[in-house]
Amino acid sequence: MVLVYHTKGAKKFALSYDTNIPRQAGLSGSSAIICAALSCLLDFYNVRHLIKVEIRPNIILDAEKELGIVAGLQDRVAQVYGGLVYMDFGKEHMDTLGHGVYTPLDINLLPPLHLIYADNPSDSGKVHSTVRQRWLDGEEFIISSMEEVARLALDGRKALLDKNYRELARLMNRNFDLRRQMFGDDVIGTVNIKMVEAARSVGAAAKFTGSGGAVVALCPDGEAQVLLLEKACRDAGFLVQRIQVAPSPLPLTEGNPPF
């Protein structure tokens, strides 16, 4: 696909893209394209220094909203900052700043992680979710569960800083369990559930990479457990890849220090 833009008296450009991100695998391929396009435009017009890094995820999200895509800020923050980043979306920050507080962390804090995904995940989780409306309606179970999810993120940051990977594994499993309770199996989808179950069958921890379609797994028992994970996923018809986390492309002057 090629997008051509021209305005009289201004620079003109042609923008094309290609991607190797699996489609419909919950890996935010569409927002990654928009994020890359924004980065190109910032440099093309030499305005990168005028657009604060903290608000770039909002710009990407606004573009997706214009396309009718329902989404949140998390994936866009990860794409803008790159590497490993802790996100605090506390109400006070969102109300006063218009965005969260994003803290880059050293990628060397991460344990080995693996991505599990299906060749054809499109049959999974087609039922429309009512969770957002239940949140807006003030349902106590949804609000308390979301608050626990936020605490899991805070606890996960501590587990990473302490390199306590067994605790991190426990938190990952709890994250998925909460999501399953809130959304229900019809929304989560059979394929998604089977991916998590394949990881758990060998004692690995697993949670969604995003809202579904792919799963990130942690093997706290090391490489022997990784071999078991690969076999379990292969037997279940899923693909497994070792995750390689690239460091943040942002210069330190654009964001926070790396710790």
Side-chain angles (χ1 to χ4, degrees):
M1 178 178 179
V2 177
L3 170 67
V4 180
Y5 175 90
H6 176 71
T7 301
K8 185 177 180 180
K11 291 183 178 181
K12 59 183 178 180
F13 63 86
L15 178 65
S16 63
Y17 68 84
D18 190 14
T19 178
N20 59 2
I21 299 173
R23 296 187 63 184
Q24 295 182 312
L27 295 173
S28 300
S30 60
S31 58
I33 292 169
I34 296 175
C35 179
L38 175 62
S39 291
C40 290
L41 291 173
L42 292 177
D43 290 337
F44 185 77
Y45 287 107
N46 194 29
V47 293
R48 182 176 287 273
H49 61 291
L50 299 177
I51 311 296
K52 291 183 177 180
V53 65
E54 296 90 344
I55 69 169
R56 292 177 203 168
N58 297 62
I59 296 172
I60 297 166
L61 182 59
D62 287 342
E64 293 192 76
K65 285 180 178 177
E66 288 191 24
L67 298 173
I69 297 173
V70 179
L73 282 168
Q74 292 94 324
D75 294 342
R76 290 95 201 140
V77 173
Q79 290 157 353
V80 167
Y81 279 80
L84 175 64
V85 58
Y86 172 72
M87 310 172 201
D88 184 346
F89 295 104
K91 187 176 185 301
E92 181 180 351
H93 303 319
M94 298 301 293
D95 289 345
T96 58
L97 302 174
H99 56 75
V101 173
Y102 313 129
T103 308
L105 300 172
D106 184 355
I107 61 172
N108 294 310
L109 294 171
L110 284 168
L113 298 170
H114 290 78
L115 178 71
I116 305 171
Y117 62 100
D119 266 333
N120 179 23
S122 59
D123 65 336
S124 184
K126 289 186 175 180
V127 179
H128 180 68
S129 169
T130 61
V131 168
R132 178 177 174 79
Q133 188 58 51
R134 290 160 66 193
W135 166 274
L136 294 173
D137 291 342
E139 184 178 320
E140 183 177 347
F141 169 69
I142 297 298
I143 291 175
S144 63
S145 296
M146 289 293 191
E147 288 173 346
E148 184 176 351
V149 168
R151 289 194 299 272
L152 291 178
L154 182 61
D155 292 343
R157 178 177 182 269
K158 183 179 186 305
L160 279 172
L161 292 172
D162 294 341
K163 293 194 174 183
N164 185 347
Y165 299 137
R166 289 197 177 279
E167 174 63 5
L168 182 63
R170 185 189 71 79
L171 297 170
M172 288 173 62
N173 281 333
R174 180 58 181 162
N175 178 281
F176 177 77
D177 290 343
L178 279 171
R179 186 175 188 88
R180 188 173 182 178
Q181 290 168 20
M182 285 189 287
F183 285 81
D185 287 2
D186 288 341
V187 173
I188 296 293
T190 302
V191 173
N192 286 322
I193 292 172
K194 286 183 177 179
M195 283 190 285
V196 172
E197 289 177 342
R200 290 188 176 183
S201 71
V202 299
K207 66 177 293 295
F208 284 163
T209 58
S211 57
V215 165
V216 59
L218 166 60
C219 294
D221 293 333
E223 289 303 315
Q225 193 174 34
V226 171
L227 294 176
L228 294 175
L229 173 69
E230 291 173 342
K231 183 180 185 305
C233 290
R234 189 166 55 247
D235 291 347
F238 301 127
L239 303 171
V240 183
Q241 272 187 246
R242 175 76 173 260
I243 295 174
Q244 295 181 339
V245 181
S248 173
L250 296 175
L252 291 181
T253 54
E254 279 201 291
N256 297 312
F259 292 97

